[in-house]
Short mmCIF file of all heavy atoms in Angstrom, two decimals:
data_model
loop_
_atom_site.label_atom_id
_atom_site.label_comp_id
_atom_site.label_asym_id
_atom_site.label_seq_id
_atom_site.Cartn_x
_atom_site.Cartn_y
_atom_site.Cartn_z
N MET A 1 11.84 17.16 -5.92
CA MET A 1 11.12 17.16 -7.18
C MET A 1 9.65 16.89 -6.89
O MET A 1 9.31 15.98 -6.15
CB MET A 1 11.69 16.08 -8.10
CG MET A 1 11.00 16.03 -9.43
SD MET A 1 11.90 15.12 -10.69
CE MET A 1 11.40 13.47 -10.34
N GLN A 2 8.78 17.68 -7.48
CA GLN A 2 7.35 17.53 -7.28
C GLN A 2 6.78 16.53 -8.31
O GLN A 2 7.26 16.47 -9.44
CB GLN A 2 6.66 18.88 -7.44
CG GLN A 2 5.26 18.88 -6.91
CD GLN A 2 4.68 20.29 -6.85
OE1 GLN A 2 5.12 21.16 -7.57
NE2 GLN A 2 3.70 20.48 -6.01
N PRO A 3 5.76 15.76 -7.92
CA PRO A 3 5.15 14.81 -8.86
C PRO A 3 4.61 15.52 -10.11
O PRO A 3 4.16 16.66 -10.04
CB PRO A 3 4.00 14.19 -8.06
CG PRO A 3 4.34 14.43 -6.64
CD PRO A 3 5.14 15.69 -6.61
N ASP A 4 4.67 14.84 -11.25
CA ASP A 4 4.20 15.41 -12.52
C ASP A 4 2.68 15.54 -12.57
O ASP A 4 2.16 16.50 -13.10
CB ASP A 4 4.67 14.56 -13.70
CG ASP A 4 6.18 14.61 -13.87
OD1 ASP A 4 6.79 15.61 -13.45
OD2 ASP A 4 6.72 13.64 -14.42
N ASP A 5 2.00 14.55 -12.04
CA ASP A 5 0.53 14.55 -12.07
C ASP A 5 -0.01 15.59 -11.09
O ASP A 5 0.34 15.59 -9.92
CB ASP A 5 0.03 13.15 -11.69
CG ASP A 5 -1.47 12.99 -11.87
OD1 ASP A 5 -2.21 13.82 -11.33
OD2 ASP A 5 -1.88 12.03 -12.53
N GLU A 6 -0.87 16.48 -11.57
CA GLU A 6 -1.40 17.57 -10.73
C GLU A 6 -2.14 17.04 -9.51
O GLU A 6 -2.04 17.57 -8.41
CB GLU A 6 -2.33 18.44 -11.57
CG GLU A 6 -2.89 19.62 -10.84
CD GLU A 6 -3.81 20.46 -11.68
OE1 GLU A 6 -3.57 20.58 -12.90
OE2 GLU A 6 -4.80 20.97 -11.14
N ARG A 7 -2.90 15.96 -9.70
CA ARG A 7 -3.66 15.36 -8.60
C ARG A 7 -2.73 14.87 -7.50
O ARG A 7 -2.99 15.03 -6.32
CB ARG A 7 -4.51 14.22 -9.16
CG ARG A 7 -5.36 13.50 -8.19
CD ARG A 7 -6.20 12.45 -8.89
NE ARG A 7 -5.40 11.62 -9.75
CZ ARG A 7 -5.30 10.30 -9.63
NH1 ARG A 7 -5.96 9.67 -8.71
NH2 ARG A 7 -4.55 9.60 -10.44
N TRP A 8 -1.61 14.25 -7.88
CA TRP A 8 -0.65 13.74 -6.90
C TRP A 8 0.15 14.88 -6.29
O TRP A 8 0.54 14.82 -5.14
CB TRP A 8 0.27 12.73 -7.56
CG TRP A 8 -0.39 11.42 -7.81
CD1 TRP A 8 -1.59 11.23 -8.43
CD2 TRP A 8 0.09 10.15 -7.45
NE1 TRP A 8 -1.87 9.89 -8.48
CE2 TRP A 8 -0.86 9.21 -7.89
CE3 TRP A 8 1.23 9.71 -6.82
CZ2 TRP A 8 -0.70 7.85 -7.70
CZ3 TRP A 8 1.39 8.35 -6.64
CH2 TRP A 8 0.43 7.43 -7.08
N ALA A 9 0.43 15.90 -7.06
CA ALA A 9 1.20 17.05 -6.56
C ALA A 9 0.47 17.75 -5.42
O ALA A 9 1.10 18.28 -4.52
CB ALA A 9 1.49 18.02 -7.69
N LYS A 10 -0.86 17.71 -5.44
CA LYS A 10 -1.63 18.32 -4.35
C LYS A 10 -1.48 17.53 -3.06
O LYS A 10 -1.53 18.09 -1.97
CB LYS A 10 -3.12 18.38 -4.73
CG LYS A 10 -3.44 19.39 -5.80
CD LYS A 10 -4.91 19.35 -6.14
CE LYS A 10 -5.21 20.29 -7.30
NZ LYS A 10 -6.62 20.21 -7.69
N GLN A 11 -1.31 16.22 -3.17
CA GLN A 11 -1.24 15.36 -2.00
C GLN A 11 0.19 15.20 -1.48
O GLN A 11 0.39 15.04 -0.28
CB GLN A 11 -1.81 13.99 -2.34
CG GLN A 11 -1.94 13.07 -1.16
CD GLN A 11 -2.68 11.79 -1.50
OE1 GLN A 11 -3.15 11.61 -2.62
NE2 GLN A 11 -2.79 10.89 -0.55
N TYR A 12 1.18 15.22 -2.37
CA TYR A 12 2.57 14.99 -1.98
C TYR A 12 3.42 16.19 -2.36
O TYR A 12 3.50 16.55 -3.52
CB TYR A 12 3.12 13.75 -2.69
CG TYR A 12 2.32 12.50 -2.42
CD1 TYR A 12 1.46 11.98 -3.39
CD2 TYR A 12 2.41 11.85 -1.21
CE1 TYR A 12 0.73 10.83 -3.14
CE2 TYR A 12 1.68 10.70 -0.95
CZ TYR A 12 0.84 10.20 -1.92
OH TYR A 12 0.11 9.07 -1.68
N PRO A 13 4.10 16.80 -1.38
CA PRO A 13 4.93 17.96 -1.69
C PRO A 13 6.17 17.61 -2.52
O PRO A 13 6.70 18.45 -3.22
CB PRO A 13 5.32 18.50 -0.32
CG PRO A 13 5.18 17.35 0.61
CD PRO A 13 4.10 16.49 0.03
N ALA A 14 6.62 16.37 -2.43
CA ALA A 14 7.77 15.91 -3.19
C ALA A 14 7.64 14.41 -3.47
O ALA A 14 6.92 13.71 -2.77
CB ALA A 14 9.06 16.17 -2.41
N VAL A 15 8.32 13.96 -4.49
CA VAL A 15 8.26 12.55 -4.88
C VAL A 15 8.69 11.64 -3.72
O VAL A 15 8.15 10.56 -3.54
CB VAL A 15 9.13 12.30 -6.13
CG1 VAL A 15 9.23 10.83 -6.45
CG2 VAL A 15 8.56 13.05 -7.33
N GLU A 16 9.63 12.12 -2.90
CA GLU A 16 10.12 11.31 -1.78
C GLU A 16 9.02 10.94 -0.80
O GLU A 16 9.12 9.94 -0.10
CB GLU A 16 11.23 12.06 -1.03
CG GLU A 16 12.50 12.24 -1.83
CD GLU A 16 12.47 13.44 -2.77
OE1 GLU A 16 11.46 14.17 -2.82
OE2 GLU A 16 13.48 13.66 -3.46
N PHE A 17 7.96 11.72 -0.72
CA PHE A 17 6.86 11.43 0.18
C PHE A 17 5.90 10.39 -0.40
O PHE A 17 5.11 9.81 0.31
CB PHE A 17 6.08 12.71 0.50
CG PHE A 17 6.83 13.66 1.39
CD1 PHE A 17 7.62 14.65 0.82
CD2 PHE A 17 6.75 13.57 2.76
CE1 PHE A 17 8.33 15.53 1.62
CE2 PHE A 17 7.46 14.44 3.57
CZ PHE A 17 8.25 15.42 3.00
N MET A 18 5.97 10.17 -1.70
CA MET A 18 5.08 9.22 -2.34
C MET A 18 5.47 7.78 -2.06
O MET A 18 4.62 6.92 -1.86
CB MET A 18 5.09 9.44 -3.86
CG MET A 18 4.46 10.73 -4.30
SD MET A 18 4.72 11.09 -6.04
CE MET A 18 4.10 9.65 -6.83
N LEU A 19 6.78 7.50 -2.03
CA LEU A 19 7.25 6.12 -1.92
C LEU A 19 6.74 5.38 -0.69
O LEU A 19 6.16 4.30 -0.82
CB LEU A 19 8.78 6.08 -1.99
CG LEU A 19 9.40 4.70 -2.03
CD1 LEU A 19 8.92 3.94 -3.27
CD2 LEU A 19 10.90 4.80 -2.03
N PRO A 20 6.91 5.94 0.52
CA PRO A 20 6.38 5.20 1.69
C PRO A 20 4.87 4.98 1.61
O PRO A 20 4.37 3.91 1.97
CB PRO A 20 6.74 6.09 2.88
CG PRO A 20 7.82 6.98 2.40
CD PRO A 20 7.61 7.15 0.93
N ASP A 21 4.15 5.96 1.11
CA ASP A 21 2.71 5.82 1.01
C ASP A 21 2.32 4.73 0.02
O ASP A 21 1.47 3.89 0.30
CB ASP A 21 2.08 7.15 0.61
CG ASP A 21 0.57 7.13 0.73
OD1 ASP A 21 0.06 6.63 1.76
OD2 ASP A 21 -0.12 7.59 -0.18
N LEU A 22 2.97 4.71 -1.13
CA LEU A 22 2.64 3.71 -2.14
C LEU A 22 3.06 2.31 -1.70
O LEU A 22 2.35 1.34 -1.97
CB LEU A 22 3.29 4.07 -3.47
CG LEU A 22 2.71 5.29 -4.17
CD1 LEU A 22 3.51 5.62 -5.41
CD2 LEU A 22 1.26 5.06 -4.53
N LEU A 23 4.19 2.19 -1.04
CA LEU A 23 4.68 0.86 -0.64
C LEU A 23 3.96 0.30 0.57
O LEU A 23 3.82 -0.91 0.70
CB LEU A 23 6.18 0.92 -0.36
CG LEU A 23 7.08 1.09 -1.57
CD1 LEU A 23 8.52 1.25 -1.14
CD2 LEU A 23 6.93 -0.07 -2.53
N LEU A 24 3.53 1.16 1.47
CA LEU A 24 2.94 0.68 2.72
C LEU A 24 1.42 0.83 2.74
O LEU A 24 0.69 -0.15 2.82
CB LEU A 24 3.55 1.43 3.91
CG LEU A 24 5.06 1.30 4.04
CD1 LEU A 24 5.59 2.21 5.12
CD2 LEU A 24 5.45 -0.14 4.31
N HIS A 25 0.94 2.02 2.65
CA HIS A 25 -0.50 2.27 2.77
C HIS A 25 -1.27 1.77 1.56
O HIS A 25 -2.25 1.03 1.68
CB HIS A 25 -0.74 3.77 2.99
CG HIS A 25 -2.17 4.12 3.10
ND1 HIS A 25 -2.84 4.76 2.09
CD2 HIS A 25 -3.08 3.89 4.06
CE1 HIS A 25 -4.10 4.93 2.46
NE2 HIS A 25 -4.27 4.42 3.64
N HIS A 26 -0.85 2.15 0.38
CA HIS A 26 -1.58 1.80 -0.85
C HIS A 26 -1.63 0.28 -1.04
O HIS A 26 -2.68 -0.27 -1.36
CB HIS A 26 -0.89 2.48 -2.04
CG HIS A 26 -1.59 2.28 -3.33
ND1 HIS A 26 -2.67 3.05 -3.70
CD2 HIS A 26 -1.39 1.40 -4.33
CE1 HIS A 26 -3.09 2.65 -4.88
NE2 HIS A 26 -2.34 1.65 -5.28
N GLU A 27 -0.51 -0.37 -0.82
CA GLU A 27 -0.45 -1.82 -0.98
C GLU A 27 -1.38 -2.52 0.00
O GLU A 27 -2.06 -3.48 -0.35
CB GLU A 27 0.99 -2.29 -0.77
CG GLU A 27 1.20 -3.74 -1.10
CD GLU A 27 1.17 -4.02 -2.59
OE1 GLU A 27 1.30 -3.10 -3.39
OE2 GLU A 27 1.02 -5.20 -2.93
N SER A 28 -1.43 -2.04 1.25
CA SER A 28 -2.28 -2.68 2.25
C SER A 28 -3.76 -2.54 1.89
O SER A 28 -4.56 -3.42 2.18
CB SER A 28 -2.01 -2.11 3.64
OG SER A 28 -2.40 -0.76 3.72
N LEU A 29 -4.11 -1.44 1.23
CA LEU A 29 -5.50 -1.29 0.79
C LEU A 29 -5.86 -2.38 -0.22
O LEU A 29 -6.94 -2.97 -0.14
CB LEU A 29 -5.71 0.08 0.15
CG LEU A 29 -5.74 1.27 1.08
CD1 LEU A 29 -5.80 2.57 0.28
CD2 LEU A 29 -6.93 1.19 2.01
N HIS A 30 -4.96 -2.65 -1.16
CA HIS A 30 -5.25 -3.68 -2.16
C HIS A 30 -5.28 -5.07 -1.55
O HIS A 30 -6.11 -5.90 -1.95
CB HIS A 30 -4.24 -3.60 -3.30
CG HIS A 30 -4.44 -2.41 -4.18
ND1 HIS A 30 -5.60 -2.19 -4.88
CD2 HIS A 30 -3.64 -1.36 -4.44
CE1 HIS A 30 -5.51 -1.05 -5.54
NE2 HIS A 30 -4.32 -0.52 -5.29
N ILE A 31 -4.42 -5.34 -0.59
CA ILE A 31 -4.46 -6.65 0.08
C ILE A 31 -5.80 -6.82 0.78
O ILE A 31 -6.40 -7.89 0.73
CB ILE A 31 -3.28 -6.79 1.06
CG1 ILE A 31 -1.97 -6.90 0.27
CG2 ILE A 31 -3.46 -8.02 1.96
CD1 ILE A 31 -0.74 -6.83 1.13
N GLY A 32 -6.29 -5.75 1.39
CA GLY A 32 -7.61 -5.80 2.04
C GLY A 32 -8.72 -6.05 1.04
O GLY A 32 -9.65 -6.83 1.29
N GLN A 33 -8.64 -5.40 -0.13
CA GLN A 33 -9.66 -5.61 -1.16
C GLN A 33 -9.66 -7.05 -1.66
O GLN A 33 -10.71 -7.66 -1.83
CB GLN A 33 -9.40 -4.66 -2.35
CG GLN A 33 -9.66 -3.22 -2.04
CD GLN A 33 -9.18 -2.31 -3.15
OE1 GLN A 33 -8.25 -2.64 -3.88
NE2 GLN A 33 -9.80 -1.15 -3.27
N ILE A 34 -8.48 -7.61 -1.86
CA ILE A 34 -8.37 -9.00 -2.32
C ILE A 34 -8.91 -9.94 -1.24
O ILE A 34 -9.63 -10.90 -1.55
CB ILE A 34 -6.91 -9.34 -2.67
CG1 ILE A 34 -6.48 -8.56 -3.92
CG2 ILE A 34 -6.73 -10.85 -2.88
CD1 ILE A 34 -5.00 -8.60 -4.19
N SER A 35 -8.59 -9.66 0.01
CA SER A 35 -9.06 -10.51 1.10
C SER A 35 -10.58 -10.50 1.19
O SER A 35 -11.22 -11.55 1.36
CB SER A 35 -8.44 -10.04 2.42
OG SER A 35 -8.71 -10.96 3.44
N ILE A 36 -11.20 -9.33 1.05
CA ILE A 36 -12.66 -9.23 1.08
C ILE A 36 -13.28 -9.99 -0.08
O ILE A 36 -14.26 -10.71 0.08
CB ILE A 36 -13.09 -7.75 1.07
CG1 ILE A 36 -12.73 -7.09 2.41
CG2 ILE A 36 -14.58 -7.61 0.79
CD1 ILE A 36 -12.86 -5.58 2.41
N TRP A 37 -12.69 -9.86 -1.26
CA TRP A 37 -13.21 -10.58 -2.43
C TRP A 37 -13.12 -12.09 -2.21
O TRP A 37 -14.06 -12.82 -2.52
CB TRP A 37 -12.41 -10.19 -3.68
CG TRP A 37 -12.87 -10.94 -4.88
CD1 TRP A 37 -13.88 -10.61 -5.73
CD2 TRP A 37 -12.36 -12.20 -5.34
NE1 TRP A 37 -14.01 -11.58 -6.69
CE2 TRP A 37 -13.10 -12.57 -6.48
CE3 TRP A 37 -11.35 -13.04 -4.90
CZ2 TRP A 37 -12.85 -13.73 -7.18
CZ3 TRP A 37 -11.10 -14.21 -5.60
CH2 TRP A 37 -11.85 -14.55 -6.73
N ARG A 38 -11.99 -12.54 -1.66
CA ARG A 38 -11.83 -13.98 -1.41
C ARG A 38 -12.88 -14.50 -0.44
O ARG A 38 -13.47 -15.55 -0.65
CB ARG A 38 -10.43 -14.28 -0.89
CG ARG A 38 -9.33 -14.15 -1.94
CD ARG A 38 -7.95 -14.39 -1.36
NE ARG A 38 -7.85 -15.68 -0.70
CZ ARG A 38 -7.54 -16.82 -1.32
NH1 ARG A 38 -7.28 -16.81 -2.59
NH2 ARG A 38 -7.48 -17.96 -0.65
N ARG A 39 -13.12 -13.76 0.64
CA ARG A 39 -14.12 -14.20 1.62
C ARG A 39 -15.51 -14.20 1.01
O ARG A 39 -16.32 -15.09 1.28
CB ARG A 39 -14.06 -13.34 2.86
CG ARG A 39 -12.85 -13.73 3.73
CD ARG A 39 -12.78 -12.93 4.97
NE ARG A 39 -12.21 -11.64 4.58
CZ ARG A 39 -12.15 -10.58 5.34
NH1 ARG A 39 -12.63 -10.60 6.55
NH2 ARG A 39 -11.60 -9.47 4.91
N ALA A 40 -15.81 -13.23 0.17
CA ALA A 40 -17.12 -13.18 -0.49
C ALA A 40 -17.29 -14.36 -1.45
O ALA A 40 -18.41 -14.83 -1.67
CB ALA A 40 -17.29 -11.86 -1.25
N ALA A 41 -16.18 -14.84 -2.01
CA ALA A 41 -16.21 -15.98 -2.93
C ALA A 41 -16.15 -17.31 -2.20
O ALA A 41 -16.10 -18.36 -2.84
CB ALA A 41 -15.06 -15.87 -3.92
N GLY A 42 -16.15 -17.27 -0.86
CA GLY A 42 -16.12 -18.50 -0.08
C GLY A 42 -14.73 -19.06 0.12
O GLY A 42 -14.57 -20.19 0.56
N LEU A 43 -13.71 -18.28 -0.21
CA LEU A 43 -12.33 -18.72 -0.02
C LEU A 43 -11.79 -18.15 1.29
O LEU A 43 -12.34 -17.19 1.82
CB LEU A 43 -11.47 -18.21 -1.19
CG LEU A 43 -11.87 -18.71 -2.57
CD1 LEU A 43 -11.14 -17.94 -3.65
CD2 LEU A 43 -11.61 -20.19 -2.68
N PRO A 44 -10.71 -18.70 1.81
CA PRO A 44 -10.14 -18.12 3.04
C PRO A 44 -9.53 -16.74 2.76
O PRO A 44 -9.15 -16.45 1.63
CB PRO A 44 -9.06 -19.12 3.44
CG PRO A 44 -8.74 -19.89 2.22
CD PRO A 44 -9.99 -19.89 1.37
N ALA A 45 -9.46 -15.94 3.79
CA ALA A 45 -8.87 -14.61 3.65
C ALA A 45 -7.40 -14.71 3.30
O ALA A 45 -6.78 -15.77 3.44
CB ALA A 45 -9.04 -13.84 4.97
N VAL A 46 -6.82 -13.62 2.84
CA VAL A 46 -5.40 -13.58 2.53
C VAL A 46 -4.60 -13.84 3.80
O VAL A 46 -4.87 -13.26 4.84
CB VAL A 46 -5.01 -12.20 1.95
CG1 VAL A 46 -3.51 -12.07 1.78
CG2 VAL A 46 -5.71 -11.97 0.62
N LYS A 47 -3.64 -14.76 3.72
CA LYS A 47 -2.80 -15.07 4.88
C LYS A 47 -1.63 -14.10 4.90
O LYS A 47 -0.86 -14.02 3.95
CB LYS A 47 -2.30 -16.51 4.79
CG LYS A 47 -1.49 -16.94 6.00
CD LYS A 47 -1.25 -18.44 5.95
CE LYS A 47 -0.31 -18.94 6.99
NZ LYS A 47 -0.44 -18.46 8.31
N LEU A 48 -1.53 -13.36 5.98
CA LEU A 48 -0.45 -12.38 6.12
C LEU A 48 0.71 -13.01 6.87
O LEU A 48 0.52 -13.91 7.70
CB LEU A 48 -0.96 -11.14 6.88
CG LEU A 48 -2.09 -10.39 6.18
CD1 LEU A 48 -2.59 -9.27 7.08
CD2 LEU A 48 -1.63 -9.84 4.85
N PRO A 49 1.93 -12.55 6.61
CA PRO A 49 3.09 -13.11 7.32
C PRO A 49 3.06 -12.75 8.80
O PRO A 49 2.39 -11.79 9.20
CB PRO A 49 4.29 -12.45 6.62
CG PRO A 49 3.73 -11.25 5.94
CD PRO A 49 2.29 -11.54 5.65
N ALA A 50 3.80 -13.47 9.61
CA ALA A 50 3.88 -13.20 11.04
C ALA A 50 4.44 -11.81 11.26
O ALA A 50 5.27 -11.32 10.49
CB ALA A 50 4.77 -14.24 11.71
N ARG A 51 3.98 -11.16 12.32
CA ARG A 51 4.42 -9.80 12.60
C ARG A 51 5.62 -9.75 13.53
O ARG A 51 6.06 -8.69 13.91
CB ARG A 51 3.26 -9.02 13.18
CG ARG A 51 2.12 -8.88 12.20
CD ARG A 51 1.04 -8.05 12.78
NE ARG A 51 1.53 -6.70 13.00
CZ ARG A 51 0.97 -5.62 12.53
NH1 ARG A 51 -0.11 -5.71 11.83
NH2 ARG A 51 1.48 -4.44 12.79
N ALA A 52 6.14 -10.90 13.92
CA ALA A 52 7.30 -10.96 14.81
C ALA A 52 8.52 -10.40 14.07
O ALA A 52 8.68 -10.60 12.86
CB ALA A 52 7.56 -12.38 15.26
N ILE A 53 9.40 -9.75 14.80
CA ILE A 53 10.61 -9.21 14.21
C ILE A 53 11.52 -10.38 13.83
O ILE A 53 11.79 -11.26 14.64
CB ILE A 53 11.33 -8.27 15.19
CG1 ILE A 53 10.44 -7.05 15.47
CG2 ILE A 53 12.69 -7.84 14.65
CD1 ILE A 53 10.98 -6.12 16.52
N ARG A 54 11.98 -10.38 12.61
CA ARG A 54 12.85 -11.45 12.13
C ARG A 54 14.30 -11.15 12.49
O ARG A 54 14.73 -10.00 12.38
CB ARG A 54 12.70 -11.60 10.63
CG ARG A 54 11.33 -12.18 10.24
CD ARG A 54 11.16 -12.24 8.77
NE ARG A 54 10.80 -10.87 8.35
CZ ARG A 54 10.73 -10.49 7.10
NH1 ARG A 54 11.03 -11.31 6.13
NH2 ARG A 54 10.38 -9.26 6.80
N PRO A 55 15.07 -12.16 12.91
CA PRO A 55 16.47 -11.93 13.28
C PRO A 55 17.24 -11.32 12.10
O PRO A 55 17.06 -11.70 10.96
CB PRO A 55 17.00 -13.34 13.58
CG PRO A 55 15.78 -14.16 13.83
CD PRO A 55 14.67 -13.54 13.05
N GLY A 56 18.09 -10.35 12.42
CA GLY A 56 18.91 -9.72 11.41
C GLY A 56 18.21 -8.61 10.65
O GLY A 56 18.82 -7.90 9.87
N LEU A 57 16.90 -8.44 10.86
CA LEU A 57 16.16 -7.40 10.14
C LEU A 57 16.37 -6.05 10.76
O LEU A 57 16.43 -5.03 10.08
CB LEU A 57 14.67 -7.76 10.12
CG LEU A 57 13.79 -6.94 9.19
CD1 LEU A 57 14.23 -7.13 7.74
CD2 LEU A 57 12.34 -7.35 9.34
N VAL A 58 16.51 -6.02 12.09
CA VAL A 58 16.68 -4.75 12.80
C VAL A 58 18.09 -4.65 13.34
O VAL A 58 18.63 -5.56 13.84
CB VAL A 58 15.65 -4.63 13.96
CG1 VAL A 58 15.84 -3.33 14.69
CG2 VAL A 58 14.26 -4.76 13.43
#
C-alpha cells in the first residue's frame, strides 16, 4: 500500500518502508534537537541508554 500523502509517496514506495524510518531515523533527529536545545539552555544533554546488547534481546 502506498502512503496517502503525495509528499510521502515520493519518498516511500510502500507504507512498510515508512515504519523503520519513522521509528529510528526520525526519532533520533528529534532527540538531537532536544539535546541541542537543552545544552543551549545550560542544561545537560539528553542522556542516552547504554549501547551494550541486553541479555535476552538478541
Side-chain angles (χ1 to χ4, degrees):
M1 181 164 84
Q2 194 170 24
D4 293 334
D5 188 307
E6 183 181 325
R7 180 177 50 121
W8 286 50
K10 289 178 184 177
Q11 187 172 357
Y12 303 104
V15 173
E16 292 84 0
F17 289 91
M18 292 171 55
L19 186 61
D21 190 45
L22 291 175
L23 289 175
L24 302 172
H25 179 254
H26 184 82
E27 188 73 16
S28 66
L29 287 173
H30 288 300
I31 291 171
Q33 291 170 333
I34 292 168
S35 189
I36 290 169
W37 177 87
R38 288 177 56 87
R39 283 181 281 170
L43 299 169
V46 173
K47 183 170 172 44
L48 298 175
R51 296 183 64 126
I53 296 174
R54 290 176 280 171
L57 191 62
V58 179

